[in-house]
Amino acid sequence: MKFDPSIPEDGINVSRTHPLREALLLVGGVAAIAIAVAVAAAVAVDLVAPHIPIELEVRLFSGWFDRGVEADEAVDPREQSLAKLLGRMAGHWPENPYAFEIAIWDIPEPNAVALPGGVIAVTDGLLENVESENELAFVLGHELGHFRNRDHLRGLGRGIAFSLLLVAVGVGGSSSAVELASLAGQFAQRGFDRDQEIEADRFGLALLAAEYGHVSGAEAFFEHLPELGGPLDGELASYYSTHPLNADRIQALRGMAHEMGWELRGERQPLLSLSPAR
Amino acid sequence: MILSNIETVPGKEITRFFGVVSGSTVRAKHIGKDIMAGFKNIVGGELKAYTELIGEAREDAIGRMVREAESLGANAVVNIRFSTSSVAQGAAELFAYGTAVTVE
Amino acid sequence: MVELGVRLGIPLALLVLAYFTGAAVERRHYASIRERELRWRSVPAITFRSVPPSWKVTECTLITGSVVISVDYFKRFLAGLRAIFGGRIKAYESLLDRARREALMRLKQKAVERGYHAIVNVRLETCRMANARNSESIAGLEVLAFGTAVKLRNAP
């Protein structure tokens, strides 16, 4: 019985696959799953959302997105004039089933959101940047368009459905995988969001034309706020941003106006009592 | 390749011995099966997916150990031991090691 | 956009950093392991429970060698994704391989430094060190090698 000091061949216990190849394969796989899940979630929600009764929606979400104003606090006068304007715009949507509410959020970025339950939230930043009543009317009309298409529910539903489905297919274990998947999913859902924005623009434009007889102010709004669409440029930026890039959107608005025979020029109404409350 | 977990190969004589040879592998089952196993944890019974996982991993580990022994020119591995550890969630690590020898 | 940059940029930067440093550390470690494997190759380390009959043992003692090796961010990332699809977690294989060989080399080195000639009944144990913050991931792997070192009158 003799001892042989040979050393076994090196590397038998380690796979030869290059780690970067492995990384690429895995990341690609997770992204593919996430995109498939996101699309499935979006399609499912698009099928279901229009059939949710509005009474149910209002009951479910009442109080979720209220203004957070204490009872004894003075109501912002801007809110009243906004509500008046909103009432006029909603008047051109005869079958409107909602009782809308206005909320003003103390946020410097110009933005407006349609929230479940019939709340339209407008930011301070938006109110400070608009120059005419028509612009504001268009923004409100756009949000009314989201309500008509039930987009506010879709956005919420998609997020929930996406997370649930992701857990169901098993991407829930490691945090890096979840992060990766949610990024890919968001990217995939942008396409759906973009189509919704265009549709909401169309509805807003129709309301604007019905109220003023022309659609002046709609495109001016985007011209005033070049930063609203997102700061990136180029193809990716256009795809990434929720709201299509302003130039694209103005183009689309002009197309719609031309198609429907709405006048792009017209007299704009001045803003009344919308200066900051202080 | 002769494998045994005793010190000798019965009926043969060890003429030469080398050092420790080993084989190891880390494996995970895909999460779908992990979730099924979670349900199984409620009712009890054999976790077939995991029996399978560990079985495959063990075969893999033995295969690698044999390759190390072959690279030495040995024709048997004696006194083989297994050890299992869980290096990551839902993954099993199988390790097999023994002494490579030449028998006649 | 800034938020996206933070969400994506920091982990990505960490991944790239971990990939390069991890690869460099691994390369250096393997070089050192190979060098020591050559140096101590003439010291037998075997799993036999008894010494070969030709050896005349004068002294023996229990001896251990152990090492804890850390997982890097890149490997942990790969392992996390691999757990979704199943299959070999290749990223951890080299970690285990390094830890085992390192523990064995430390065992041999200790034996030689104390004047022993060989180690019999070698055993290897692996143990995972859980991450304190997140019990699902591992902080590192510990490998313990132990055996009985023997002094021989007729050293091989």
Side-chain angles (χ1 to χ4, degrees), chain A residues 249-270:
Chain A
R249 221 160 146 189
I250 291 170
Q251 206 63 43
L253 282 177
R254 284 188 184 143
M256 285 175 211
H258 183 75
E259 204 178 295
M260 306 297 293
W262 292 322
E263 190 53 58
L264 276 166
R265 272 170 235 285
E267 199 191 333
R268 293 184 201 158
Q269 304 298 313

Side-chain angles (χ1 to χ4, degrees), chain C residues 1-14:
Chain C
M1 220 29 67
V2 174
E3 184 211 4
L4 178 80
V6 171
R7 252 179 87 190
L8 200 63
I10 292 176
L12 204 65
L14 267 179

Side-chain angles (χ1 to χ4, degrees), chain A residues 27-38:
Chain A
V27 168
V30 170
I33 289 179
I35 287 171
V37 164

Side-chain angles (χ1 to χ4, degrees), chain A residues 210-228:
Chain A
E211 173 69 22
Y212 298 100
H214 58 78
V215 295
S216 169
E219 55 176 322
F221 175 69
F222 293 107
E223 281 161 0
H224 289 157
L225 302 169
E227 74 276 20
L228 193 65

Side-chain angles (χ1 to χ4, degrees), chain A residues 1 3 5 7 10 13-15 17-18 20 22-23 26 29-30 173 176-177 179 182-183 186 232 240, chain C residues 1 4 7-8 19 30 34 37 41-42 44 48 74 77-78 80-82 84-85 88 90 93 97 101 136:
Chain A
M1 203 165 166
F3 174 60
I7 297 173
D10 207 11
N13 281 310
V14 179
S15 294
T17 322
H18 196 278
L20 287 182
E22 172 96 346
L26 292 173
V30 170
S176 54
E179 191 76 346
S182 69
L183 259 176
Q186 275 177 19
L232 273 185
Y240 192 79
Chain C
M1 220 29 67
L4 178 80
R7 252 179 87 190
L8 200 63
Y19 171 69
Y30 265 128
R34 283 193 199 105
E37 276 178 351
R41 64 187 291 182
S42 58
F48 293 153
F74 183 74
F77 172 75
L78 282 193
L81 293 188
R82 183 43 92 182
I84 295 164
F85 300 100
R88 269 189 192 160
K90 292 168 188 150
E93 286 179 341
D97 189 46
R101 286 160 77 174
E136 277 185 22

